[in-house]
Structure formats: structure tokens, C-alpha cells
Amino acid sequence: MKIACIGGGPASLFFSILMKQQDPSHDITVYERNRRGDTFGFGVVFSDETLANIAESDSYAIAAIESEFRHWGAMDVYYRGRTISSDGHGFAAISRVRLLEILTCRATELGVCVKFETEADVDALRDDVDLVVAGDGINSGTRSRYASQLRPTISQGSAKYIWTATDAPFDRFTFIFEDLVFEDIRHSEDLVFEDIGHSEDTPHSAVQAHIYPYNDTRSTFIVEMAEATWERAQLGGHDAGLALGESDQHALEWCSRLFARHLGGRPLIGNNSKWISFPRVSCESWVVNNVVLLGDAAHTAHYSVGSGTKMALEDAIALADAMAAASDVATALKNFEAERRPQIESLQRAAATSEDWFAHVDHHRQRPFEQFAFSLFTRSQRVTYDNLRERDAGYLDETLHWFASQQPPSARPSTPGTPPIFYPFALRDVTFGNRIGVSPMAQYSAVDGMPNDWHKVHLGSRAVGGAALVMTEMTCTSPEARITPGCTGIWNTPQAEAWAGITGFVHTFTEAKIGLQIGHAGRKGSTKVPWEGEDVPLDSDNWPLVSASPLRYRGGSQMPAEMSYEQMDAVLDDFVAATHRAADADFDLVEVHAAHGYLLSSFLSPATNRRGDDHGGTLENRARFPLRVIEAVREAWPHAKPLSVRVSATDWVEGGFSRSEAIELSHMAKDCGVDIIDVSTGQVDPDGAPAYGRLYQTPFAEAIRNAVGIPTMAVGAISSIDDVNTVLMAGRADICLIARGHLVDPYWTLNAAIDLGRSEQPWPIQYWPGRTSRRREQVPDALIDRDLR
């Protein structure tokens, strides 16, 4: 087979090595436009898992690479004069120049022709060879040439960073955070570099360094900060006119000064080092006929979860395996992409979450350092509470001890080692026995708004199942506030009395608390129940809709009227009346639904609020009516009981409601007496494109919690005990609301207690025998006999 590889980077070289191992008769040529030994960057880092994959594919190459590896297992986080370490992570790094030289030598030794200082014409090559492998990097000419077929998406990250090196001694992954203090942001741009002791009221931002050693004398030293910080520090423009390979000396000197104490006064070393934003690359396809993209040409993932080199080498392995398994090139390329793409997309999701953490580090730095460090270690959501225990049990136990010390004495479980999930949590005079809640889930089973036996069993069984908080579905404040005819209501006394029967059951037979979510559907109302047609208007008996602006929810939806001031007053009165009824029905918590595109949410989002009056335009105006409702509900609700507000922290649409606005709104809500924010996202506009994935909404809860200083509840693809413990320990939220998990297992929390062997979780006396249902081998026979009597 005749193969041409464009680009002399790790992807092309390693693939050529693997193909020569499969069949020495393959005719393989690698075309590299630069001279041998020319490369930008410094060290490349690998996890132990990646090294195992490489070794299995080519033990000779990995032996040569390993002979020059710098290994370590620990990671340090340094901030404000303190350091926290976690061990057992397993990494190794090598100079990029040496890696390329080792791979080049191995390839040429096997008979690969490597042509340096040679431009490749992909159009000519594809007609002359059986396979073209384009590993031509982030600025791939191949990707540009076939953009119409590959359909790439290229965007820039929201932070600025610069890639440098240092000969200061570092022996492990080290994350250093320095505060950049703006002494008088109104009148000057004078900066002071401080690490501790400044006033929290002084405008300042964090700048971080990602550091790892790659040989005996040098370490990669990446400096990163939010773009707003970079602009405020006036760091742009100094690299104008620099030739390829030249570094921004102003940037190197500035960073050297900022991190001087950690560098021992040594200057940072440049190699084409300039301020850039991370390029996010993805392609709808990696293949055009007999041409395939590998590595950065096809996809990128932020350096904070690994290296592009790791992905490139693993791409090469996957492609070589696909070639070996298929009888023709077309089938091999199809199979390669089908198998490799899910892995890449999973890594890109983790990388995006990690990148986002660092880009918004100012949202995190107000929390205690122990929690700051744990959040950093688990930022990608691939490393978890249980995973850290496996890697470094000592570190996890120390952090758990710290977590326990932060709880009020009355809320500290007596059993040592209690995981975060089973810690009580108090809001005002209400204490939740653990950190699990049942998320509001619409049941569409009411008649004329009346809750019935279905709702009693649905909510009651989950309260029996151990959740500390069970939330009703959105319960409507008037008949016109409903989404569907099957929605529950609390607009009259009989409904309130029916709800009182349900709260009475919960309070009599369980230790759970029960919350009522109240809301108004707005433009999303007057539709069929979902199993008859989701978001489909009723065939008859429709009620009139109102919204912030006269915009349909989607094509075919009923047109709402723009809400008048008189209608706002009437709806506010409905919310207040519903709140009084909720108090009479003995609910423990009330939540105002201001998310998901319903009425209050429609005012908040620029995508749904096009008003030209004092209720449109700025966030202050858009929030005017929702805040009036929240204030009125707080006044009507008993002072001793907590008030929650659910928000969509992003619309997932360009120009829609954003995380920064959600943070600002949460500040306003806190000032109105709100005790906790229930943080969801999306469902505001049909064009929203959520970045679905495990725990995909928790970063928004984390940002609000720590930037605003208010408790949050997290939702969205939280499914395991490990997920919950990680979210809580990292300070991403204070309560985890689980929806789908509770639909299939009403006893989710009791089962968690069994799985963890915890006695803190109270059980209904009627269900005591169930405590030993899955742990007989660990339970004394006498206890089993007693439970079964």
C-alpha cells in the first residue's frame, strides 16, 4: 500500500511506524514543511494510561521514549501562601523536540521516507497514493482545502495564555495562582502583584500558571488568565510585527515578574511565545475519500486535561488498528471514525469543562482553599471523589475532615468518615437530613389542577425512599398558568387541602421535607400532555397566553400577548395567594420557577424579551417583574422557612441569557431574601444547543454558589453516589437534585446508605429489614434475625 502523511508531527510519524510494523512492504512517505528539529512548544505530558496504550502498540518506541521521560505522581496547588498536594496521579513528560526525533529515527529505521522542508500538495497526493493521512496540525491546510466536506468548527477560548518554559526546579504538576490587584480601577491601570493580605473589596483577578517538568533541567510554564484581566493589564499589542519564532519579550518579562518568587528570580524562556486564545477545533467529518485527518488537524482539547500529542498518538493507534482489521481503505476510514469519534467527543467535553474552570477561576477563589483545590483536581469531572480516594486516600481523608469541620456542630454526623452525601444541611429553621433531593418532575396527572393519589404515591414513596427534600412539579398559580390540562395547581382552597394531605403523609411517616414549586407557563402553556404531543397546542378549549413579548415558543405554537402592567399585577397577586396556601398546606420550602422559558424566565432572557419599556433591555429592567414576584413571595412566606428560585443559568443560544447574567440575577435574588438557587439551564428557546453530558449543568451551580455566596441546588445528569460526593466536596452545590434516577428507583437514597454501609440515614421503621438486603455478609446474624422478626 502506498501512503502519504502530511505533517511530520507525532500523529503522522507514529502512524507510519505502526503501518510499517504491520507490513514492511508499505510504501510510506512523510512530508514536513519545516527543517528537522524545528518545533514550537516545550514539553509534552502523558498519563500512565496513554503510555500503556503506546507501549502495547510499539514497545521499541516507548522504550526509547521512556528512557528520557520525567515521571511524577503528585500535583500541587499553591495559592495565598498555602500548598495542597494530591499524589497517585501518574504522569510522565518529555521534550517535544526529543519526542519528534525519537519517532523520526524509529520511522526511518523501519523504512519510512521522511522528507523535511517539503510542501505537500494534497490534491496531487490523493490521486497518487492509496491513503493520505493529514496530521498537519492546528493550522491544517488539508482541513482548509476540504472545509466544505469536513465542515470544521473553529472557535477561540475565552481566556488568554502564553506557553513558556523555565529552568527553575519543579518536580511535579504545579498550579500556582497569583492575585493581580488593581489598586484604583477607576483612575489608573497600575497593578500590584500580591499573594495574600489584600482587601477582598479591592478589584483584583487571578492569574494562574500550569507547570510540569519535562527533563532534568526544564519545565513547561503556561501562564493563563481571563481575557478581561489580560485586557485590563494592557498586555496586548506587544507582539505586533514579530517574526515566526520570535517571542513577546514584554510578556515574558511581565510573567517573570509576577511569578518571581516561584522562579527564584530566573527569567522565563520563550519559543514563539505569544499571548493566544485556545483554538477549539472540531469537524463533522474527518474523512474525504482517501484523505483522513489526525490529531490537531481534526480536533483539539484544552491542555489542562492532557496534550494534543496524546490525542495524536492515540489517533494513530486507532487508525492503524482499523487499517489492519479492514479489507479496504474506505471501510477502514469509516470504522476508524465511528470508533474514535465518541472517545474524542467525550474527551473534548471534559476538556471544555476543565478549560471553563480555569477561564472563570475568579468564580472559585472566594471559597476556602481546601475546597478550591478539590474543585481544581476534579474540574474535568473525570477525576472524582472515589477516584481520588483510590489515588491518594490520605489526601481525601484530610479533605473530608476539613469538610466535616465546616459544618455546624449539630450537623456533624457522629460516625467518622461520613461522606458528604449524608451530612445534614440547614436553611433558616429547616434542616434537611442529607444532601439528596427529588427534582421537580411534571406528572401531568391532575384534573382541574387537583393533586390526587398519583401525586401522593409519587412524592410519598420518594420521601419514604430517603431523599431529604422532595419537590413537587411546577404547580400553577391560576388555571391560565398551566402548561397542560394535566398540571397541578394551588389557586383554590380544595387544591391546598389536597396538598396538605400529601405534606401530612410526608411529615408523619418520613423525615423528609417537601417543597412546592410555583410557576406560570407563559408562552409555553395551553398544550397537550407530552404523550399526546410535546409542545403541541390543544385541539380545543385553549386559554389565552401571555409572555414578556408576543413571540411563539416554536412554529405552530399559540401566539402569546405581550403582558400588560395590569396583567403583571394580577399574576403577582396569584403568586402571593399561592404562597399563602402553600403555608397553610404546611410545605417546608417554596420555590419560584423563573427558568425554562416559562413566564418569569421569558422576562429574563433577551431571546424572549423584546420589550421597549422599562421591563426590557438591560438585565435590571428584564429582572424587574421576576424580582417583584420573588419579593412578594418572600414577604408572604413564613420567615422561618426557606425560599428557593429556579433559574436557567444559560439559554445555550447566542445572545441569550448568560452565566454572567445568572450570577448578577442571583445577587439580586439574594438581596430579596432568597435562601438557595436551584440552578438549571436551557429550555428557554427551541434553538438552544445544550452541551449535554454527565454533570453538564453543575459548573453553573458552582459559579453562582461561589461568586454570589449563596447555597445552590444542582441538577442535570447527576446519577451516582460518587457524582454527589464529588459535587458536594468541591463546593459545586449544597444539595443535589436527582430526577430520572428517582423515577426508576424511588429508594435511591436508602440504597446509597446500603451501598456505603452508613447508619446515619434514618429508615422508616416498617422497612427496617431492608437495611440488610444487600449486605448480609457484613451484618451480624443477630441483627438480621431482629430485623426479620
Side-chain angles (χ1 to χ4, degrees):
M1 180 181 293
K2 193 172 184 179
I3 302 171
C5 297
I6 302 175
S12 295
L13 290 171
F14 199 52
F15 176 73
S16 68
I17 291 169
L18 298 178
M19 292 304 291
K20 273 291 188 179
Q21 287 181 329
Q22 287 183 18
D23 187 344
S25 69
H26 287 321
D27 180 356
I28 306 175
T29 302
V30 176
Y31 297 89
E32 169 54 49
R33 64 186 303 180
N34 294 317
R35 297 174 300 177
R36 185 167 185 163
D38 282 353
T39 188
F40 300 121
F42 298 95
V44 292
V45 64
F46 304 98
S47 67
D48 286 347
E49 180 183 2
T50 301
L51 295 178
N53 291 341
I54 298 172
E56 186 176 329
S57 300
D58 182 16
S59 58
Y60 184 92
I62 195 62
I65 294 169
E66 281 190 325
S67 67
E68 301 190 32
F69 263 145
R70 182 73 182 268
H71 291 270
W72 70 91
M75 292 193 288
D76 287 351
V77 182
Y78 179 94
Y79 192 28
R80 297 183 180 177
R82 294 186 59 195
T83 300
I84 287 180
S85 299
S86 173
D87 210 337
H89 298 281
F91 291 100
I94 188 173
S95 161
R96 179 174 174 83
V97 172
R98 282 298 301 143
L99 175 66
L100 291 176
E101 183 61 22
I102 290 170
L103 293 176
T104 300
C105 289
R106 175 63 170 156
T108 55
E109 178 184 279
L110 292 172
V112 176
C113 177
V114 183
K115 294 185 177 182
F116 293 97
E117 300 180 71
T118 303
E119 292 282 356
D121 183 342
V122 65
D123 288 331
L125 287 173
R126 62 181 287 185
D127 295 331
D128 186 50
V129 301
D130 300 296
L131 173 65
V132 178
V133 175
D136 47 350
I138 190 70
N139 298 311
S140 170
T142 308
R143 186 181 64 230
S144 298
R145 169 65 183 83
Y146 299 122
S148 61
Q149 295 100 314
L150 299 170
R151 299 178 297 283
T153 299
I154 303 174
S155 61
Q156 301 296 316
S158 60
K160 290 288 187 179
Y161 74 98
I162 185 169
W163 204 287
T164 75
T166 179
D167 56 8
F170 291 93
D171 63 356
R172 62 189 65 188
F173 255 129
T174 304
F175 299 95
I176 300 174
F177 297 84
E178 291 283 0
D179 283 333
L180 194 59
V181 181
F182 300 85
E183 291 207 312
D184 190 345
I185 196 170
R186 295 166 299 176
H187 303 298
S188 75
E189 294 297 342
D190 294 335
L191 308 179
V192 178
F193 300 150
E194 290 192 6
D195 187 56
I196 193 167
H198 64 270
S199 168
E200 289 294 342
D201 296 328
T202 304
H204 62 288
S205 298
V207 180
Q208 60 261 17
H210 310 238
I211 309 157
Y212 59 86
Y214 63 86
N215 62 29
D216 290 338
T217 60
R218 284 193 176 182
S219 298
T220 295
F221 199 103
I222 306 169
V223 179
E224 182 183 36
M225 69 190 80
E227 186 170 19
T229 304
W230 178 82
E231 290 175 347
R232 194 174 297 163
Q234 301 181 358
L235 290 169
H238 300 282
D239 58 355
L242 292 177
L244 184 65
E246 290 187 83
S247 298
D248 181 346
Q249 289 301 315
H250 178 271
L252 293 175
E253 292 168 7
W254 189 93
C255 295
S256 297
R257 178 185 165 209
L258 176 59
F259 293 98
R261 86 179 79 187
H262 309 285
L263 297 169
R266 296 174 175 86
L268 289 171
I269 301 162
N271 179 6
N272 196 40
S273 301
K274 304 177 181 69
W275 293 110
I276 57 175
S277 299
F278 187 80
R280 302 165 176 167
V281 175
S282 61
C283 297
E284 290 186 29
S285 175
W286 301 339
V287 176
V288 179
N289 298 322
N290 64 335
V291 179
V292 60
L293 303 183
L294 292 189
D296 286 349
H299 47 68
T300 60
H302 194 255
Y303 49 81
S304 61
V305 298
S307 68
T309 302
K310 157 197 159 59
M311 295 169 68
L313 294 176
E314 291 179 339
D315 278 358
I317 294 169
L319 180 57
D321 288 346
M323 294 295 295
S327 58
D328 61 273
V329 169
T331 300
L333 297 185
K334 178 181 178 181
N335 292 344
F336 159 70
E337 182 167 0
E339 181 176 340
R340 183 70 175 141
R341 180 176 288 278
Q343 300 168 8
I344 289 296
E345 290 178 346
S346 175
L347 181 58
Q348 286 183 312
R349 285 193 295 271
T353 304
S354 177
E355 177 185 3
D356 183 82
W357 193 98
F358 284 108
H360 295 93
V361 70
D362 286 333
H363 294 164
H364 307 297
R365 59 183 173 76
Q366 301 298 341
R367 74 181 81 186
F369 183 50
E370 290 81 0
Q371 202 163 60
F372 178 93
F374 188 90
S375 178
L376 185 153
F377 292 142
T378 60
R379 65 193 179 278
S380 72
Q381 300 179 348
R382 286 192 159 192
V383 176
T384 67
Y385 178 95
D386 286 347
N387 190 249
L388 282 172
R389 180 173 292 285
E390 291 176 6
R391 298 182 185 203
D392 189 344
Y395 162 73
L396 195 284
D397 287 340
E398 288 177 6
T399 308
L400 186 57
H401 178 75
W402 168 85
F403 184 88
S405 73
Q406 301 304 295
Q407 313 307 315
S410 60
R412 296 175 191 171
S414 58
T415 308
T418 298
I421 186 174
F422 290 121
Y423 274 78
F425 182 69
L427 291 172
R428 297 196 182 230
D429 291 352
V430 175
T431 298
F432 305 96
N434 56 56
R435 302 302 184 92
I436 297 299
V438 178
S439 195
M441 292 179 281
Q443 301 297 292
Y444 304 111
S445 299
V447 176
D448 294 329
M450 285 290 290
N452 52 43
D453 288 348
W454 177 266
H455 302 90
K456 185 173 185 177
V457 172
H458 167 67
L459 296 168
S461 63
R462 282 145 187 87
V464 170
L469 171 64
V470 291
M471 291 294 302
T472 71
E473 62 198 88
M474 186 177 86
T475 300
C476 303
T477 56
S478 71
E480 297 76 25
R482 293 175 295 170
I483 309 167
T484 76
C487 292
T488 56
I490 192 165
W491 63 77
N492 60 40
T493 299
Q495 291 165 351
E497 291 173 346
W499 282 118
I502 295 173
T503 63
F505 174 87
V506 170
H507 293 147
T508 300
F509 294 104
T510 80
E511 297 193 23
K513 302 299 186 289
I514 181 167
L516 178 73
Q517 185 187 73
I518 54 176
H520 189 298
R523 69 174 185 160
K524 297 175 75 173
S526 194
T527 64
K528 298 179 179 181
V529 294
W531 46 84
E532 294 177 357
E534 191 165 1
D535 297 325
V536 176
L538 295 172
D539 295 329
S540 61
D541 298 323
N542 295 89
W543 51 86
L545 304 182
V546 292
S547 188
S549 298
L551 301 170
R552 301 179 194 273
Y553 177 60
R554 62 169 77 244
S557 293
Q558 184 177 333
M559 176 67 78
E562 180 170 290
M563 199 173 192
S564 68
Y565 291 171
E566 292 77 11
Q567 288 170 322
M568 291 181 204
D569 291 342
V571 166
L572 185 147
D573 290 342
D574 289 340
F575 270 90
V576 170
T579 304
H580 286 303
R581 294 188 185 100
D584 293 341
D586 202 21
F587 281 98
D588 301 294
L589 172 148
V590 156
E591 177 170 286
V592 175
H593 201 331
H596 298 171
Y598 297 125
L599 181 62
L600 300 185
S601 173
S602 75
F603 277 85
L604 294 171
S605 173
T608 51
N609 186 340
R610 309 289 176 80
R611 300 175 72 100
D613 60 8
D614 62 354
H615 284 68
T618 65
L619 177 61
E620 182 180 11
N621 283 350
R622 286 182 273 122
R624 192 181 302 274
F625 177 56
L627 290 176
R628 279 186 63 207
V629 172
I630 292 167
E631 285 182 318
V633 169
R634 177 68 272 178
E635 185 175 349
W637 186 235
H639 178 78
K641 294 185 177 184
L643 174 65
S644 171
V645 172
R646 172 167 276 200
V647 300
S648 285
T650 177
D651 292 346
W652 300 106
V653 296
E654 189 71 28
F657 195 71
S658 64
R659 168 170 31 196
S660 61
E661 289 193 322
I663 290 171
E664 192 173 347
L665 175 69
S666 297
H667 275 293
M668 299 175 188
K670 181 181 179 182
D671 291 341
C672 292
V674 170
D675 301 289
I676 192 166
I677 306 292
D678 180 356
V679 185
S680 185
T681 64
Q683 301 182 53
V684 173
D685 189 285
D687 292 332
Y692 290 118
R694 178 173 151 268
L695 305 175
Y696 73 105
Q697 296 183 118
T698 58
F700 299 94
E702 180 175 28
I704 289 173
R705 180 185 187 272
N706 296 294
V708 179
I710 189 170
T712 59
M713 295 190 281
V715 301
I718 302 171
S719 60
S720 70
I721 301 169
D722 192 22
D723 286 344
V724 172
N725 284 326
T726 305
V727 167
L728 296 172
M729 186 84 98
R732 297 190 172 101
D734 300 277
I735 293 175
C736 290
L737 297 179
I738 296 174
R740 289 175 176 83
H742 276 119
L743 288 180
V744 298
D745 182 4
Y747 307 100
W748 194 96
T749 308
L750 295 185
N751 282 324
I754 294 173
D755 292 341
L756 295 177
R758 307 309 304 185
S759 60
E760 300 88 354
Q761 173 63 38
W763 282 65
I765 193 169
Q766 299 91 334
Y767 283 10
W768 273 11
R771 293 179 299 167
T772 58
S773 63
R774 299 207 304 270
R775 299 182 63 83
R776 183 182 182 96
E777 71 284 358
Q778 300 177 37
V779 178
D781 289 340
L783 177 59
I784 295 173
D785 292 342
R786 186 194 71 189
D787 283 347
L788 294 178
R789 282 198 294 271

